[in-house]
Amino acid sequence: MAHWLYKSEPSSWSWQQQKDAGAKGTEWTGVRNYLARNNMRAMQIGDKGFFYHSNDGLEIVGIVEVCALAHPDSTAKDDPRWECVDIRAVRDMPNPVSLKDIKANPKLSQMSLVTSMRLSVQPVTDEEWLEVCRMGGLDNPPV
């Protein structure tokens, strides 16, 4: 299993909205960056990810999982270049993990969230996954 981070502005799509979407999940639409799109193409069913509130909040607030493989993005208006996956909420992060705390942790100095701030869909290494989960109060993180 691979791990990922998905950024969303809570005014556009919040963690609460993601949870309200239920087990069916939702398309992760609107990504118009080739690297982020390619990250979604690499995803597998069951891959876990962090749900990160960008701009307002600047913190990891939940965990999601991929529930449908990459497919045409329904918001791409007949532009076949853009694809997305579907994700569903798994659980709240018991203690949201702030960007400030991530940047202050030497173990996370190479995390994409720190080094590639603008990328909306990012890979997370296994070590980063476990460290952020620890910081968020998850003793037995979903893997």
Side-chain angles (χ1 to χ4, degrees), residues 7-82:
K7 289 182 173 182
S8 182
E9 294 182 30
S11 60
S12 297
W13 187 255
S14 70
W15 174 238
Q16 187 60 53
Q17 288 171 296
Q18 185 66 50
K19 292 192 306 184
D20 291 346
K24 180 182 173 213
T26 58
E27 289 184 317
W28 196 255
T29 60
V31 174
R32 301 297 183 264
N33 173 286
Y34 287 106
L35 183 53
R37 182 214 50 200
N38 292 345
N39 286 337
M40 288 191 287
R41 284 180 172 176
M43 293 176 184
Q44 298 297 314
I45 299 291
D47 281 0
K48 302 294 188 286
F50 293 126
F51 191 102
Y52 177 81
H53 275 166
S54 62
N55 292 339
D56 182 20
L58 300 177
E59 59 189 2
I60 293 171
V61 294
I63 294 179
V64 295
E65 74 177 354
V66 175
C67 58
L69 296 176
H71 57 82
D73 182 329
S74 65
T75 66
K77 306 290 184 222
D78 299 323
D79 187 341
R81 293 177 296 171
W82 304 116

